[in-house]
Amino acid sequence: MYRFLLTPRWWGINVFVLLAIPFCIFMGSWQLSRFEARVQDHRAAGEQITAARTEAARPLDRLLPVSTETSGKQATATGRYGKQLLVPGRELDGRHGFYVLTLLRVDGAGGKALPVVRGWLPGDADPAKAPPAPTGEVTVTGALQASESPGSDGVTAAGGLPAGQTGAISSASLVNLVPYKVYDAWITLTKADSGMRAVPASAPQGTGLDLKAFQNLGYTGEWFVFAGFVVFMWFRLLRREAEFARDAELGLVPDHDEEEVTVAEAAADAPQDVDSVPVR
């Protein structure tokens, strides 16, 4: 009854199944490894930020450019505060508020400015609420952060912000708002000044459990479902073909020639309605 498995048609089906199942399992395992790697990166980034809080601060230039290894490290810089901007739409502990961002003209950097988040305040961004920056030469210490992008948490790509505000803390967006060069990095003060709340350092972009990480987990399930579907369809086709072969052996399935004879006889025996035949 299973001799049909040796036909060319079933050879093709069997080869396809034997190739499709390992491929689906391989792709599912690869997607799972990607998800596990993102979980490990997220855990390592969190541990790095926690450990960096107790480390001694190092000069800014020794930590640049910002990488996954230096992000969150304590950096120190000396200079004079310049222009101040507000970063609206930032949440802290579930509360809506904004960052107070001030550009620090770093000594010995040729007038280059370092964005410094001096703290967070609740409510809508209002210049009247933001305390002015200290005057004179200051030395700041805070966690080093990479420039933000539209994919970062809390960053909005919407334009049309009022003057004195910026949606992202990045050199690309700030260079159009200040008349001097800007570091491709920023720091958030360890201790906020003027009664504001300190903004905690965040993990480097790409190391968090974001939507892409859970997409990898979803793709893992899809590939294993595909493998199961291939096996299911193979067994279904096998059972259907076996039932057809068994019916043929029992004579329950008429041969093709017998079907043609039966149809011809039925057509010959059918009465002809002469009136219905069109006259040409």
Side-chain angles (χ1 to χ4, degrees), residues 13 82 105 252:
I13 294 175
R105 306 291 298 278
L252 300 178

Side-chain angles (χ1 to χ4, degrees), residues 71-94:
S71 180
K73 298 289 185 180
Q74 295 293 306
T76 181
T78 300
R80 296 175 180 272
Y81 279 123
K83 186 170 183 176
Q84 183 163 285
L85 301 168
L86 305 181
V87 187
R90 299 304 177 99
E91 293 187 357
L92 186 61
D93 295 336

Side-chain angles (χ1 to χ4, degrees), residues 212-223:
K212 291 183 179 179
F214 290 101
Q215 282 180 341
N216 291 132
L217 187 60
Y219 294 151
T220 299
E222 287 182 359
W223 281 112

Side-chain angles (χ1 to χ4, degrees), residues 37-149:
R38 288 180 180 273
V39 172
Q40 182 61 31
D41 290 343
H42 177 68
R43 185 181 298 112
E47 293 174 352
Q48 176 179 314
I49 291 176
T50 302
R53 294 172 184 170
T54 60
E55 295 179 357
R58 287 184 285 175
L60 175 66
D61 293 339
R62 296 184 183 179
L63 298 175
L64 296 177
V66 184
S67 64
T68 54
E69 289 76 19
T70 60
S71 180
K73 298 289 185 180
Q74 295 293 306
T76 181
T78 300
R80 296 175 180 272
Y81 279 123
K83 186 170 183 176
Q84 183 163 285
L85 301 168
L86 305 181
V87 187
R90 299 304 177 99
E91 293 187 357
L92 186 61
D93 295 336
R95 299 179 62 191
H96 176 78
F98 61 97
Y99 293 167
V100 177
L101 175 71
T102 311
L103 281 299
L104 180 72
R105 306 291 298 278
V106 179
D107 292 344
K112 203 171 184 179
L114 172 68
V116 178
V117 173
R118 295 172 46 229
W120 174 90
L121 290 172
D124 296 331
D126 185 355
K129 297 179 181 178
T135 59
E137 188 175 80
V138 295
T139 299
V140 298
T141 301
L144 184 66
Q145 302 280 264
S147 290
E148 295 180 332
S149 65

